[in-house]
Amino acid sequence: MPGVAEVTASAVESPSNRVVHLLNWHRIPEDRFKLDDPDGDYQSFLDELEAVQQEQMTLLRAMKDRVVFYEGLTTENLALYKRKIERLRRMKPRKGDDPIDELLARFIREDLLQLGAPGRLWMEEEIDAVLPTDDSKLLDAADPVRDGKIQFDAQAVRAREQGIVKILLKQKEAVVVMGGAHNLADNLPANVSYVRLTTRRYKQAAE
């Protein structure tokens, strides 16, 4: 498949379900980025993220799944996500080099990056829907940013992943775009096939 660098899959002879996990590189706001990497170049990070998402979009088109799950979406914030898509459908950046044009183009780009590859395909009507993966309470509990510092709570992350699995298994086959730091293998029943897809640009960015 286009852009795929690595595939790992569980060996299940007659799977009841299949979860296909496309490893994702998250868009985060600049202040959070600086917590991770105080001396990092945020614009270079956005350029990397754009390359990752473009490659993901090409792969998702080739996979031909009409519905994609997206990490971070909940039933509570899905309406806001849809409104952002509708707004971006109506907005067309002007091709100019004056400061207003440049500012508008920057805002549109950051909004597109926040939508992720699934949302961008949905916006172009290349897929039918983007579905939530998360329970909002479990998502909030697993947020690693506390008092301006990054503090991971392994138990909260595991509880969140278990909640995600419960949602994904409502479909026989679920394609989910989700951070590469997550591995759902330990949360899935033994009769579920789990496939992890690493794209080339994601691998480069992660390294």
Side-chain angles (χ1 to χ4, degrees):
M1 301 292 280
V4 175
E6 294 177 3
V7 180
T8 60
S10 56
V12 181
E13 187 173 340
S14 299
S16 62
N17 300 71
R18 178 177 289 106
V19 173
V20 180
H21 175 182
L22 177 53
L23 273 56
N24 193 33
W25 192 252
H26 291 297
R27 183 265 181 193
I28 55 176
E30 188 168 6
D31 56 348
R32 167 64 196 276
F33 174 82
K34 291 298 184 182
L35 288 177
D36 286 329
D37 188 359
D39 299 322
D41 183 339
Y42 187 65
Q43 291 306 310
S44 294
F45 162 73
L46 294 181
D47 290 342
E48 283 185 342
L49 184 56
E50 178 68 41
V52 169
Q53 289 189 8
Q54 290 293 336
E55 192 169 58
Q56 288 176 338
M57 290 164 68
T58 299
L59 175 56
L60 288 169
R61 289 185 185 107
M63 291 170 66
K64 298 183 179 179
D65 288 270
R66 300 298 299 178
V67 173
V68 180
F69 287 86
Y70 189 42
E71 181 190 2
L73 275 187
T74 68
T75 54
E76 288 80 5
N77 66 23
L78 181 59
L80 179 62
Y81 187 77
K82 288 179 178 178
R83 286 199 297 272
K84 180 169 287 190
I85 286 174
E86 290 301 325
R87 189 182 78 242
L88 286 168
R89 277 179 179 152
R90 295 191 299 268
M91 293 178 69
K92 298 293 183 183
R94 295 179 299 182
K95 294 183 179 180
D97 55 4
D98 66 67
I100 294 177
D101 290 341
E102 292 177 358
L103 184 63
L104 179 60
R106 193 185 79 189
F107 284 142
I108 290 175
R109 183 196 190 202
E110 293 206 9
D111 277 349
L112 288 171
L113 291 174
Q114 193 168 9
L115 289 182
R120 296 171 77 162
L121 291 175
W122 197 13
M123 186 181 74
E124 299 297 335
E125 300 182 339
E126 295 186 61
I127 62 175
D128 295 331
V130 178
L131 299 181
T133 61
D134 274 284
D135 175 286
S136 58
K137 291 181 180 178
L138 295 176
L139 177 62
D140 290 343
D143 187 345
V145 180
R146 307 286 179 186
D147 301 320
K149 298 179 181 178
I150 297 177
Q151 305 174 48
F152 286 98
D153 183 334
Q155 187 172 352
V157 171
R158 180 169 176 78
R160 181 190 167 206
E161 289 177 345
Q162 289 173 333
I164 289 171
V165 163
K166 188 180 294 185
I167 291 171
L168 296 179
L169 293 184
K170 291 178 181 179
Q171 294 203 11
K172 293 288 288 183
E173 178 163 318
V175 176
V176 58
V177 177
M178 185 177 181
H182 295 282
N183 190 325
L184 302 178
D186 293 339
N187 299 284
L188 289 165
N191 62 340
V192 174
S193 173
Y194 179 47
V195 182
R196 287 168 60 89
L197 300 179
T198 304
T199 62
R200 295 186 183 94
R201 295 307 296 255
Y202 171 85
K203 187 176 181 180
Q204 291 172 11
E207 289 173 349

